[in-house]
Amino acid sequence: MAMSSLAIKARAKANPLLTWRALRFRTICSGGLGFATSESDPPDPPVAGTKFLESFKEEFEMGSRVISLETGKIARFANGAVVLGMEETKVLSTIAAGKGDAVRDFLPLTVDYQEKQFAQGVIPNTFMRREGAPKERELLCGRLIDRPIRPLFPAGFYHEIQVMASVLSSDGKQDPDVMAANATSAALMLSDIPWGGPIGVVRIGRICGQFIVNPTMDELSLSDLNLVYACTRDKTLMIDVQAREISEKDLEAGLRLAHPEAVKYLEPQIRLAARAGKQKKEYKLSMVSEQTFEKVRNLAEEQIEAIFTDPSYGKFERGEALEKITQDVKIALEEECDEESLKVLPKVVDTVRKQVVRKKIISEGSRVDGRHLDEVRPIYCEAGHLPILHGSALFNRGDTQVLCTVTLGAPQDAQRLDSLVGPPKKRFMLHYSFPPFSINEIGKRAGLNRREVGHGTLAEKALLAVLPPEDCFPYTVRINSEVMASDGSTSMATVCGGSMALMDAGIPLREHVAGVSVGLVTDVDPATGEIRDRRILTDILGLEDHLGDMDFKIAGTRNGVTAIQLDIKPAGIPLDIICDCLEPARKGRLQILDHMEREISAPRTQDDRNSPRLVTLKFTNDAIRKFIGPLGALKRKIEEETGARISVGDGTITIVAKNQAVMEKVQDKVDFIVGREIEVGGIYKGIVTSVKEYGAFVDFNGGQQGLLHISELSHEPVSRVSDVVSVGQQISLMCIGQDVRGNIKLSRKATLPQPGSKTENAVEGSVPVSKDAPNVWASLENASNGEQQKSTSEELPLRKNEDTEVNPFASSAPAVVIRSTAECDEEEKSAGLSKTAKSTPKRMGILKRNNKLKTVQPSNNKPDSTLSSLLSNSLSLMGREKELISEDEGENNLSNQMDKETGVKTPMTPQKLKLGTKVTAKVYQIRARGLVLDLGGGIRGMYRFEPNGEKDFNVDDELPVQCSSFTSKGIPVMSLVEEK
């Protein structure tokens, strides 16, 4: 035993932990010191009991899809919780009610909708790797849930309610917003909160004239209608529409289809509530006694009626007069010491106002400001209010005033969207702002406001339908709407002002878009709740919106509706009344469009140096890498120096400049680094690299080299080249052609004025010639004018600040030039290979970015030198060194060409060599993978060996060949022709 104890002590010195383990002690467990059990006698581990989660589920079919409602499994502590599933998309909605009495005069209902990235198995790409503040889409979905459920809470119910809807999983096929609204309705039915539901919410699309119930996201992208409809069993609660100029007749058909489809959601909710719902709780309602109401009405009704009968009152004058009446009633109640009436005085006075206004409209058909029921307020509109901006407009309807501005940006300025469904980016944005001064109040501006986001999105939907497609108009467009004064329907004023601002910016809209808000006043039987009489109001005031039954916003063009938003205050309105409002809204919309079109009826087309420019250029990827520089440093430097935006794609460089001067500056830098399309007659800047006896060699256009012959130095005779130019000198030169070897010929004297002439020097980069019309997006009026589709510059401006009454399309240089690869190739072939031998006395080549010139027609202010394309790179591609020859040698070679009319057989020329041309060629060289062929006339072609084909060829063998294609550098690829 002693020996054993000594052994333990010896080992403890080496490892102190052995002492505890050898003596079967453990350190600290559950706050105490204890003995370890022996391994031979372990205790039985505790066994957890099995918890049983009782869940209830209802399933039903909507079209071809099965929808499930489930409760009881998760979120069991919530007042009501439902998981709604459609295929693999599942949405959870929970309800919670505040504790205590409700000491307030409004319903504090909060709806929070959230889409977390885990629903699609993605980690958020943020610094904290978690979701941040609610995104715009989440705010909009929250409003979509709030609007149909709010009217169904009983009058006087002012307890705090919070709805939280979150997406648990998403397969990307279904938009979860409608599912969340139905899940919220089911959760309210299960809770103990008094509520007048259930409701059903359904989405309707239309593809090729056929309506689709609950369309998928793919189907929705093809649809010209996105209709969200909410209702009870017999009344409409909410409508939200985005459409592409759908007619009122088709819209009514969609609404009447949506109602019975939405009703299908009701029975499953009722069955689920019967199985798992809670008993409705008796909440305290804040009701006004009949005695208090009669007392306040007797004191204030006559004075309120007198104010509302006088149309001379403005918004604030009327408000001050009504406030004075409230103070007089307050003094009278204080004298009577009626504390109960004083507590509810503001609400009672507001109710009296409502009754007075509604009675006046129903009985007399007259409104607060004296207008007829279908009359639109006076309109003032002004396009180009801020001329220095890209586009601007000021729109007034009555006392409502909105200033809209348009800003154009590069494609990379598009907003990135991180939502679970929908497109990944948005290139058209409308931001609506409602500052406190617009209603003469003091307020604090902080963060996104649900109302501002909702109004801005409604106007954005309305205008999106008339924008040109992205492939024709790649700008990113931002409209900023600032409400300057508000007296009803500022969102519809934003639609009108935004449409005018877009046209002022030169954006080719198909049609003007206008919007108007329609209201409703009803006379309801208090016993049965049936509507006995009603009046529809066009272009409602803010007061009529507050005291009326609905705010029905409808926007569209002359051809149809583009956006709708319906909000109501009572617990539903019959669909027939909703459909009756479509025609008054159309008539009011047409009146507004007349005023807008008188101010500006077509996109601005006048050239303006302050208007933005966008150009997309095609380059090889090697050239683009050269332009970007190491780690993009060269590109960033150009952006910092010029203020332009440059985006780089696969084979393209897109430049967006603030104005023409900035665009020219950026293109000069791009030309110097990369080079641009070389044209005969084009003016370029170059640096002299070497001086010879017969001329000078000049580097220009991104590293390309050309020969400045001594005869092209000046109009005066030059004895020595060094007397005029020196190495390192920067000079302006004109490209005058190309010799038979592909070398570019330059001229300095062509840029100088003729002796005795007062003509100014040509501007660098200018090409005083016309060329083929590029692929541009012009306005519809310009599309029929063939001459207007031509342009002399690569960057083409947006037109603005033009009087539309004086020939608005006199000049139609469009906003964008986009040249595809196919168009470049076609232009190259047509310019270099399709010219006939009778075009001009000279036949010379032109070079594009890879040493190919472009043939252009001669003009009056430059030498007559129309040149055709030669295959200049054939020798360099085959590994031979590039040779430079003097101009005299080139002229001698060209003089050997003979016209067909002489009857003498002429050698092969590039003009004769086309696809399908058959010639007899000689084998010039034999390579490992093919032959170099001499086609005659100094032209080389290539023939590739076929796999496992015959390779027995000798130099100078004659072969019958046919031109089958051209390489990217213009070298003809030949194929053997079988002899018959």
Side-chain angles (χ1 to χ4, degrees), residues 113-127 129-138 141 167 170 176 414-426:
Y113 172 89
Q114 190 172 29
E115 293 179 347
K116 291 192 175 182
Q117 296 296 310
F118 73 80
Q120 283 189 335
V122 176
I123 296 176
N125 190 24
T126 60
F127 178 77
R129 293 298 186 268
R130 63 187 304 166
E131 289 76 13
K135 298 183 286 290
E136 285 190 11
R137 170 177 162 80
E138 293 174 324
C141 292
V167 182
S170 174
Q415 181 183 3
R416 294 183 179 180
L417 305 176
D418 294 328
S419 59
L420 298 180
V421 294
K425 64 178 181 179
K426 183 169 67 172

Side-chain angles (χ1 to χ4, degrees), residues 109 140 309 850 856:
L109 172 63
L140 294 172
T309 308
N850 286 327
V856 294

Side-chain angles (χ1 to χ4, degrees), residues 835-843 893-909 911-912:
K835 298 291 182 181
T836 62
K838 298 181 181 180
S839 299
T840 53
K842 292 185 179 183
R843 298 288 183 266
N893 289 335
L894 291 175
S895 64
N896 293 331
Q897 299 183 9
M898 305 178 66
D899 196 276
K900 293 181 179 180
E901 297 178 358
T902 62
V904 181
K905 183 178 180 180
T906 59
M908 175 59 63
T909 63
Q911 293 75 25
K912 297 179 181 180

